[in-house]
């Protein structure tokens, strides 16, 4: 904020006399609702699901399902595929993120804002929207093939979809921001004078990169890499929409086993493998960086170290960075003219323009119904997640440090567990009691997903509150509730809004939970779009995607303008 | 040590601060003992500085006085009233934080008015008293600004006004001038001194800067590892320190070996060459370096296997401050301070 933050302030630990620490312990109870909620609707169901993986036909404990996974070639291949593709995507994301993060960290603030927009817009657009954009782009009649055949590089359209290329492109595009952002933070904290020192000592660009930049930014890269790997391993929508049979990943197989084979034992075993991988990755992340770093408030507004002449390597990196930014932004941008095409099937360039498919979106009952369903569900989820997450953040922040650790971890885990695992576990529990049909299950599932976002946002906000403000108010005679109302709350409201927006967007954009936890009557917009992409290629999906991108862009712009006003 | 009331000008009774007494204060954090056993009395209207290095316990002591921490043992009394377990809000203490702790979302006026609103004063009184407080620190024209739009010095003065507006029994200040540049610091120090004399406050001021302590205080309390090493007026601590540690802590001091202990001699009492007087004790040495400091020359002399610092007048002969030259230096025995042990 505004007052100097590098001076010594009073430490946070045990700053209150006896009476207030009692109040602190009572306030810690605020974390209980979310704790119970997650135990009931996350930990419990998943434990139940995993239990299935160990249950034999006779009802006794067995490892048969897990053995089946390893013995049967097809399942082995899928498991190997899963880890291979996840690893390949991780490497691709890290490699591509380096020039982009370098670009973002070393340009002037105005240009950086534009680049940020280019990174954040895809990041905030749902994975489904981005996947649909890529399907439109990479199709046999899509812009890329048209460009390549027209220019003469190719004789006939190449298959970019339904193969390894498709999956790599799609997943890298969706997951890249998870590396770009921590890597950017690492670059930001890199002391620019180190590069000058290296230059003065005679290092060339390659030397500077390998000896100075790489070692100092590797924490950001490794952190992002772990997050990408965790996500990629459990990914469902992009591989199933953009990959072929040879790229089948574990999540798809889980779905197949439940919806078609009705083999819960095997599906649970697969879910167990995914869960184990994710927990291992989280443990590794915690060992290396501490889960705290996911919570810590990062402002990215450090001192600007530019103003020195770039090395030749730096100039190349800038060009590569621009290319990567374009890679992130282009699909979304190119898809816009396609959405105004009027043909039965999306073609680029569209032979004729019109609003046919936009009209279809607003007139066809099923699309509007899906939109209404999504909105209704998202609003309830936002309220629930914001209340639970904020209360939990307040409660945990009042606890002693040694208790905070495992609560932080528990509240973050639902975010990292593959959505397919949570979705399937809730389906198992709630379908029999009719909660799928009445949207209760999907609301609970989305809240499980969204509450951690709110929790992290509010924890970071509470962390960055100047503790001496609280003491100052108390020392001038304010009671604790008055102090909270007049001093803490105004400072927390921006983060509260941010967390609520996070919750809304994550509920609105979710596909996987909607696939399992809604019926044809209350299906959400993403589910309808998924069906539109998986079965045929309904051009309404493209128009719907553009509408969503437009809405996202508006939110981002609004946020940009508000934060600009604050600076003045 | 009391400041006799008839020396200082009379002030309106309701503006006088109260006496502060700390008895047997003991505070530990886990296994480490921050304050083993502290006894301290600050008289009404006294400006008392807690001086010490980082980790000496001065901030802990301040927090105990304010109520931000409670002592594991001991009693805190303000104006004779036991406040050891009184909540922060009820102690009527003004506090100026090191980072000012101004509420960023409130204007300067609202920041200063905060304490008065908590005390349910009516709007008319609030406006008048805030105006008076801001006039005291010459910031009335800026009352509608937010803290973010103020410079460091201005923020500091707002913090001061906010702490004074409700006439606290005691004013506590935790290294408030640390973030300011030297000129600003000196000007605010002067303002603080004036305010203290005008208002007759009891002030407890924490700092690690001994020059600042000497500029501001009626009494300095030197802390080291949670214990009070010595307390006294700046002049008595400087002229007649009880230990070599205190001698070296305030100002510069040279320590020379003596038969039973050490001798402390301040640089301003050392004379060189022809300036030596008859009764002076003389020693030989070699000039190592000399720097011009405006008011005097600093001459560094090698003797007794260490470097001695002497302040030489501006018209000292150049030979006596040229590096490499042999020089005779000395001091009057009365200017030497005898200590049993080194610091």
């Amino acid at each position: 904020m505004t007052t100097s933050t590098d001076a010594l302030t009073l430490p946070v630990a045990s700053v209150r006399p006896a009476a207030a620490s009692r109040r602190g312990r009572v306030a810690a109870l605020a974390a209980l609702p979310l704790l119970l909620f997650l135990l009931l609707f996350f930990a419990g169901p998943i434990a139940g699901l995993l239990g299935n993986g160990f249950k034999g036909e006779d009802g006794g404990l067995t490892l048969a399902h897990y053995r089946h996974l390893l013995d049967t070639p097809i399942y082995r291949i899928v498991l190997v595929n899963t880890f291979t593709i996840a690893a390949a995507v991780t490497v691709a994301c890290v490699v591509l993120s380096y020039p982009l993060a370098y670009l973002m960290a070393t340009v002037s603030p105005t240009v950086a804002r534009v680049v940020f927009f280019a990174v954040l817009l895809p990041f905030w657009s749902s994975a489904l929207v981005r996947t649909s954009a890529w399907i439109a782009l990479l199709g046999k009649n899509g812009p890329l093939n048209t460009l390549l055949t027209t220019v003469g590089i190719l004789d006939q359209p190449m298959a970019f979809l339904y193969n390894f290329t498709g999956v790599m492109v799609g997943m890298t595009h969706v997951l890249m921001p998870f590396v770009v952002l921590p890597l950017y933070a690492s670059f930001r904290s890199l002391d620019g004078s180190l590069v000058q020192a290296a230059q003065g000592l005679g290092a060339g660009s390659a030397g500077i990169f390998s000896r100075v930049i790489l070692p100092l930014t590797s924490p950001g890269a490794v952190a992002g890499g772990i997050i990408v790997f965790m996500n990629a391993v459990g990914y469902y929508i992009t591989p199933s929409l953009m990959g072929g049979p040879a790229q089948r990943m574990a999540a798809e197989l889980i779905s197949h086993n439940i919806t078609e084979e009705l083999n819960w034992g095997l599906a649970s075993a697969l879910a167990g493998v995914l869960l184990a991988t994710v927990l291992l990755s989280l443990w590794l992340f915690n060992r290396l960086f501490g889960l705290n770093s996911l919570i810590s408030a990062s402002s990215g507004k450090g001192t600007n170290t530019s103003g020195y002449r770039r090395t030749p390597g730096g100039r190349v990196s800038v060009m590569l960075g621009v290319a990567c930014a374009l890679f992130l932004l282009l699909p979304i941008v190119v898809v816009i003219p396609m959405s105004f095409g009027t043909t039965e099937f999306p073609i680029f360039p569209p032979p004729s323009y019109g609003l046919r498919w936009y009209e279809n979106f607003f007139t066809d009952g099923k699309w509007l119904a899906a939109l209404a369903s999504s909105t209704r569900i998202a609003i309830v989820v936002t309220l629930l997640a914001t209340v639970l997450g904020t209360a939990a953040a307040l409660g945990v922040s009042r606890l002693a440090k040694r208790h905070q650790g495992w609560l932080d971890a528990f509240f973050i885990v639902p975010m990292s567990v593959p959505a397919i695992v949570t979705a399937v576990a809730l389906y198992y529990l709630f379908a029999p009691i009719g909660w799928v049909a009445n949207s209760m299950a999907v609301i609970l599932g989305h809240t499980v997903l969204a509450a951690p976002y709110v929790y992290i946002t509010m924890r970071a906000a509470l962390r960055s509150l100047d503790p001496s403000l609280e003491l100052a108010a108390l020392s001038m005679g304010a009671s604790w509730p008055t102090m909270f109302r007049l001093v803490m709350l105004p400072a927390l409201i921006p983060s509260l809004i941010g967390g609520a927006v996070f919750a809304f967007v994550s509920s609105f954009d979710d596909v996987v939970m909607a696939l399992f936890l809604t019926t044809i009557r209350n299906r959400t917009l993403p589910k309808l779009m998924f069906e539109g992409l998986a079965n045929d290629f309904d051009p309404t999906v493209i128009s719907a995607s553009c509408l969503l991108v437009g809405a996202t862009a508006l939110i981002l712009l609004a946020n940009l303008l508000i934060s600009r006003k604050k600076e003045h | 040590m009391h400041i006799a009331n008839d020396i200082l000008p009379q002030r309106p009774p309701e503006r006088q601060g109260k006496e502060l007494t700390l008895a047997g204060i003991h505070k530990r954090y886990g296994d480490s003992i921050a304050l083993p056993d502290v006894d301290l009395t600050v008289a009404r209207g006294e400006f008392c500085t807690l001086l010490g290095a980082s980790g000496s316990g001065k901030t802990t002591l301040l927090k105990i006085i304010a109520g931000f921490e409670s002592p594991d043992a001991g009693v805190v009394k303000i104006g004779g009233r036991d406040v050891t377990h009184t909540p922060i809000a009820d102690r009527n203490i003004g506090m100026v934080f090191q980072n000012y702790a101004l509420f960023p979302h409130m204007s300067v006026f609202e920041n200063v008015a905060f304490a008065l609103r908590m005390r349910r004063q009516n709007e008319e009184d609030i406006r008048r008293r805030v105006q008076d407080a801001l006039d005291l620190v010459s910031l009335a024209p800026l009352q509608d600004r937010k803290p973010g739009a103020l410079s460091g010095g201005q923020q500091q003065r707002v913090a001061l006004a906010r702490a004074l507006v409700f006439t606290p029994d005691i004013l506590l200040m935790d290294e408030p001038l640390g973030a300011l540049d030297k000129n600003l610091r000196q000007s605010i120090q002067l303002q603080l001194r004036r305010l203290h004399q005008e208002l007759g406050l009891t002030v407890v001021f924490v700092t690690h800067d001994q020059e600042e302590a000497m500029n501001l205080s009626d009494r300095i309390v030197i802390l080291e590892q949670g214990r009070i090493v010595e307390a006294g007026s700046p002049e008595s601590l400087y002229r007649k320190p009880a230990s070599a540690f205190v001698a070296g802590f305030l100002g510069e001091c040279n320590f020379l070996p003596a038969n039973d202990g050490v001798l402390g001699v301040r640089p301003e009492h050392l004379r060189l060459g022809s300036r030596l007087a008859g009764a002076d004790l003389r020693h030989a040495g070699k000039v190592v370096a000399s720097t011009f400091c405006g008011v005097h020359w600093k001459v560094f002399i090698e003797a007794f296997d260490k470097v001695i610092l002497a302040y030489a007048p501006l018209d000292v002969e150049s030979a006596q401050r040229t590096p490499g030259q042999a020089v005779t230096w000395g001091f009057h025995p009365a200017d030497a301070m005898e200590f049993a042990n080194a610091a």
Side-chain angles (χ1 to χ4, degrees):
Chain A
M1 284 239 117
T2 52
T3 52
S4 93
T5 49
D6 52 1
L8 264 178
T9 51
L10 307 166
V12 175
S14 69
V15 223
R16 290 170 211 88
S21 78
R22 238 182 291 124
R23 190 200 302 120
R25 261 173 270 149
V26 169
L29 288 179
L32 216 50
L34 184 59
L35 189 63
L36 290 174
F37 182 86
L38 287 180
L39 283 173
L40 272 177
F41 299 117
F42 173 71
I46 289 190
L49 179 72
L50 289 182
N52 254 314
F54 295 106
K55 226 192 292 183
E57 258 124 37
D58 51 356
L61 280 178
T62 169
L63 284 175
H65 299 297
Y66 283 92
R67 260 194 311 230
H68 193 70
L69 280 183
L70 295 172
D71 293 338
T72 326
I74 187 165
Y75 288 122
R76 232 187 7 244
I77 292 177
V78 166
L79 280 177
V80 168
N81 260 345
T82 306
F83 290 109
T84 316
I85 293 180
V89 168
T90 307
V91 170
C93 284
V94 172
V95 167
L96 287 178
S97 296
Y98 254 99
L100 186 53
Y102 170 75
L103 177 71
M104 284 162 66
T106 55
V107 289
S108 70
T110 335
V111 180
R113 255 191 272 263
V114 173
V115 183
F116 250 103
F117 187 78
V119 172
L120 288 180
L121 183 58
F123 186 49
W124 277 71
S125 308
S126 78
L128 191 60
V129 165
R130 288 181 272 172
T131 306
S132 67
W134 278 113
I135 293 179
L137 264 183
L138 296 179
K140 283 249 166 69
N141 292 315
L144 186 60
N145 269 317
T146 315
L147 178 69
L148 292 175
T149 47
T150 321
V151 170
I153 298 179
L154 289 179
D155 289 327
Q156 55 185 30
M158 194 159 101
F160 291 113
L161 283 179
Y162 314 119
N163 53 19
F164 186 71
T165 313
V167 173
M168 278 298 291
V169 169
M171 285 180 72
T172 305
H173 186 261
V174 168
L175 293 173
M176 221 174 104
F178 285 110
V179 186
V180 170
L181 293 175
L183 199 53
Y184 165 78
S186 272
F187 266 104
R188 252 333 206 169
S189 59
L190 188 63
D191 185 352
S193 51
L194 290 176
V195 174
Q196 289 173 294
Q199 278 180 296
L201 293 166
S205 298
I208 295 178
F209 182 75
S210 58
R211 286 172 191 279
V212 179
I213 295 184
L214 196 56
L216 289 174
T217 55
S218 55
V222 173
I226 293 181
I227 296 178
V228 168
F229 186 78
M230 260 186 350
N231 269 295
V233 153
Y235 232 54
Y236 180 72
I237 28 177
T238 310
S240 69
L241 287 176
M242 290 181 71
Q247 284 79 40
R248 226 165 183 204
M249 289 176 73
E252 240 196 295
L253 208 54
I254 293 179
S255 167
H256 173 80
N257 267 301
I258 289 181
T259 53
E260 304 195 20
E261 305 277 338
L262 298 178
N263 188 341
W264 281 90
L266 210 52
S268 308
L270 277 167
V273 172
L274 281 184
L275 198 59
T277 311
V278 165
L279 289 177
L280 201 65
S281 309
L282 270 180
W283 175 84
L284 185 65
F285 188 92
N286 192 33
R287 274 300 293 270
L288 290 176
F289 309 105
L291 284 176
N292 278 318
S293 53
L294 285 173
I295 303 181
S296 63
S298 55
S299 57
K301 280 202 179 85
T303 50
N304 198 353
T305 54
S306 66
Y308 60 91
R309 267 176 57 243
R310 292 190 195 279
T311 66
R315 282 194 285 270
V316 170
S317 301
V318 165
M319 289 191 299
L320 288 174
V322 171
C324 293
L326 288 175
F327 169 69
L328 280 182
L329 197 52
L330 227 42
I332 296 181
V333 167
V334 169
V335 127
I336 294 179
M338 285 183 76
S339 71
F340 289 102
T342 53
T343 48
E344 287 287 328
F345 195 82
I347 306 176
F348 189 87
S352 53
Y353 289 94
L355 289 176
R356 175 179 176 189
W357 297 111
Y358 281 100
E359 278 170 4
N360 191 38
F361 180 82
F362 288 108
T363 51
D364 189 342
K366 71 177 182 192
W367 288 98
L368 288 178
L371 181 62
S373 182
S374 280
T375 315
R376 218 176 31 229
I377 291 173
I379 289 178
V380 177
V381 168
T382 304
L383 285 170
L384 208 52
T386 308
V387 168
L388 286 174
T390 308
L394 277 171
V396 172
S397 66
R398 298 278 142 186
L399 285 175
K401 279 267 158 46
R402 62 178 181 277
H403 295 311
Q404 288 180 346
W406 65 268
L407 276 173
D408 279 337
F410 184 64
F411 288 145
I412 291 181
V413 163
M415 226 170 63
S416 329
V417 166
I420 182 102
V421 174
T422 316
V424 160
L426 288 176
Y427 179 69
Y428 181 67
L429 196 59
F430 291 133
I433 58 176
W435 275 14
V436 173
N438 66 2
S439 303
M440 270 303 286
V442 72
I443 287 176
L444 292 171
H446 282 181
T447 309
V448 165
L449 211 57
Y453 282 111
V454 178
Y455 176 79
I456 286 186
T457 312
M458 293 311 290
R459 273 283 273 146
L462 285 166
R463 271 246 189 111
S464 66
L465 270 186
D466 185 354
S468 42
L469 288 180
E470 192 182 327
L471 292 171
L474 288 175
S475 74
M476 285 187 285
S479 65
W480 202 93
T482 312
M483 183 277 305
F484 181 78
R485 185 171 50 92
L486 292 179
V487 177
M488 281 179 81
L489 206 54
L492 290 176
I493 285 191
S495 300
L496 200 64
I497 295 179
V501 171
F502 247 142
F504 186 88
V505 170
S506 65
S507 164
F508 197 89
D509 285 345
D510 159 76
V511 181
V512 179
M513 293 219 185
L515 282 178
F516 283 94
L517 300 177
T518 57
T519 64
I520 199 167
R521 277 158 163 226
N522 58 0
R523 66 189 160 184
T524 59
L525 187 58
K527 180 174 184 177
L528 192 54
M529 287 169 70
F530 183 86
E531 288 166 3
L533 283 173
N535 303 327
D536 47 25
F537 197 167
D538 183 349
T540 320
V541 174
I542 306 287
S543 307
S545 299
C546 288
L547 284 171
L548 288 176
V549 169
T552 311
L554 279 175
I555 296 179
L556 271 181
L557 278 172
N559 185 40
L560 222 65
L561 289 172
I562 295 178
S563 58
R564 249 239 196 105
K565 246 204 286 177
K566 264 219 221 139
E567 279 167 35
H568 290 145
Chain B
M1 216 178 88
H2 276 270
I3 307 236
N5 282 345
D6 48 21
I7 297 181
L8 298 162
Q10 272 299 73
R11 43 198 109 71
E14 77 266 9
R15 288 204 146 178
Q16 258 178 338
K18 297 219 171 99
E19 177 186 69
L20 168 71
T21 313
L22 300 167
I25 300 290
H26 175 87
K27 180 71 184 170
R28 61 173 350 128
Y29 293 109
D31 280 335
S32 65
I33 300 182
L35 302 168
D37 184 22
V38 174
D39 295 306
L40 177 65
T41 303
V42 181
R44 294 174 83 180
E46 180 175 271
F47 195 118
C48 174
T49 297
L50 304 179
L51 176 64
S54 306
S56 55
K58 54 192 194 300
T59 305
T60 309
L61 204 52
L62 199 73
K63 280 188 268 163
I64 288 177
I65 300 173
F68 301 153
E69 305 248 7
S70 31
D72 296 315
V75 171
V76 180
K77 285 195 184 162
I78 298 180
R81 188 170 67 112
D82 185 341
V83 297
T84 320
H85 299 293
T86 315
I88 303 173
D90 299 334
R91 292 198 189 199
N92 201 29
I93 289 183
M95 175 95 179
V96 180
F97 293 80
Q98 190 169 6
N99 69 343
Y100 318 137
L102 297 178
F103 305 126
H105 57 292
M106 299 185 195
S107 68
V108 166
F109 183 94
E110 283 304 321
N111 262 283
V112 178
F114 190 89
L116 300 174
R117 291 200 195 284
M118 292 304 113
R119 285 158 174 76
R120 307 250 185 278
Q121 309 256 315
N122 65 57
E123 277 304 318
E124 194 52 52
D125 281 339
I126 290 183
R127 214 188 336 245
R128 182 177 49 86
R129 299 185 78 154
V130 170
Q131 197 65 31
D132 288 344
L134 288 176
D135 284 335
L136 264 181
V137 296
S138 324
L139 275 182
L142 299 177
Q143 57 183 273
D144 292 321
R145 288 216 197 155
K146 293 251 172 59
L150 300 176
S151 72
Q154 289 166 335
Q155 288 179 9
Q156 207 276 340
R157 285 185 281 157
V158 174
L160 193 52
R162 187 175 71 171
L164 290 176
V165 73
F166 58 99
T167 54
D169 296 332
I170 298 191
L171 180 64
L172 303 176
M173 307 183 79
D174 184 6
E175 306 202 50
L177 307 182
L180 305 172
D181 62 80
K182 184 143 194 240
N183 286 335
L184 198 48
R185 227 183 304 164
Q186 284 183 332
S187 113
I188 296 192
Q189 278 172 10
L190 199 52
Q191 221 173 356
L192 272 178
R193 196 91 176 103
R194 256 190 40 238
L195 273 176
H196 169 246
Q197 280 162 351
E198 255 179 73
L199 300 175
L201 303 159
T202 308
V203 180
V204 180
F205 189 96
V206 162
T207 182
H208 60 270
D209 182 340
Q210 39 102 338
E211 204 182 308
E212 187 166 85
M214 294 213 283
N215 279 340
L216 292 170
S217 328
D218 295 322
R219 197 155 75 104
I220 301 179
V221 174
I222 297 187
L223 286 159
E224 168 79 357
Q225 292 186 338
R227 289 173 210 280
I228 297 182
V229 172
E230 198 179 339
S233 73
E235 189 173 344
S236 69
L237 284 182
Y238 188 85
R239 288 255 182 93
K240 291 177 176 35
S243 65
F245 172 77
V246 174
F249 203 87
L250 289 179
E252 304 270 6
C253 189
N254 297 298
F255 292 104
L256 310 174
N259 292 333
D260 45 348
V262 288
L263 278 182
V265 191
R266 301 232 181 246
E268 61 265 25
H269 294 141
L270 290 178
R271 288 184 276 272
L272 306 177
S274 49
R275 309 284 167 140
L276 286 163
D280 285 349
L281 301 171
R282 288 167 158 73
H283 301 282
K286 189 168 72 156
V287 178
V288 174
S290 64
T291 56
F292 177 70
C293 295
V295 195
H296 48 232
W297 280 90
K298 272 192 188 167
V299 185
F300 297 88
I301 301 169
E302 193 181 329
F304 295 109
D305 282 329
K306 55 167 84 166
V307 179
I308 308 284
L309 173 61
Y311 293 160
L314 291 173
D315 53 357
V316 63
E317 289 96 345
S318 115
Q320 312 216 309
R321 55 173 171 81
T322 309
Q325 291 281 10
V327 67
T328 314
W329 58 278
F331 53 92
H332 194 284
D335 289 330
M337 307 180 282
E338 281 172 14
F339 303 114
N341 315 299

